[in-house]
Amino acid sequence: MSRDVIALLPAAPDVPAMLAAMAAAGEELLVLPAAGRAVLQLCDAADPEHVRPLLSIEEPLMVTVPGEVTRLLGAEVGVEVPTPVWWVEARAAATPERAVRLAYRFAGALVRRLGGVVWPPPPAPHPHPRPPI
């Protein structure tokens, strides 16, 4: 099943911010337009005969309705995010597992550059087991 990762931003993401975030997801990925150019796909191009979409990035949307973020994502994130807010959704492919990591790298890069919140929050890293003594 695909997984959505959303960057909720206080300002509109400009072209340099979007390009930097796509590069943060993976500079080796191929960028292709999809869905009438309202969606960009980051694709694995390791095998040129079988280009595989890993991440679909939707056109940024401005949410202006008060309470809409709370209605869609829950009260916890709604309190953190005032409206208006820019909603940038990245949909990771179901497989391979690294697609979800790419989505978080993309959204995280936008938030680091422009401020805001990533939803859902990235999973906590697994602690490395301690070697036996």
Side-chain angles (χ1 to χ4, degrees):
M1 176 184 291
S2 65
R3 181 154 172 204
D4 293 345
V5 176
I6 301 164
L8 299 162
L9 310 169
D14 57 8
V15 171
M18 292 293 285
L19 291 173
M22 287 189 287
E27 290 183 6
E28 76 285 359
L29 300 174
L30 180 64
V31 179
L32 297 174
R37 298 184 184 250
V39 174
L40 289 176
Q41 290 183 324
L42 300 185
C43 303
D44 183 354
D47 179 359
E49 292 189 28
H50 297 95
V51 174
R52 180 181 194 168
L54 298 174
L55 187 63
S56 296
I57 301 166
E58 295 187 16
E59 186 175 354
L61 297 172
M62 187 167 81
V63 177
T64 59
V65 176
E68 189 67 358
V69 172
T70 299
R71 183 183 76 77
L72 294 169
L73 304 180
E76 195 172 293
V77 71
V79 216
E80 288 185 63
V81 181
T83 49
V85 65
W86 284 88
W87 177 296
V88 182
E89 192 160 334
R91 180 163 292 122
T95 58
E97 284 184 33
R98 78 180 178 112
V100 173
R101 290 191 304 274
L102 299 176
Y104 276 110
R105 287 201 316 239
F106 169 78
L110 278 177
V111 166
R112 281 189 299 281
R113 188 175 181 121
L114 301 172
V117 174
V118 173
W119 185 90
H126 296 290
H128 295 278
R130 292 183 179 190
I133 298 177

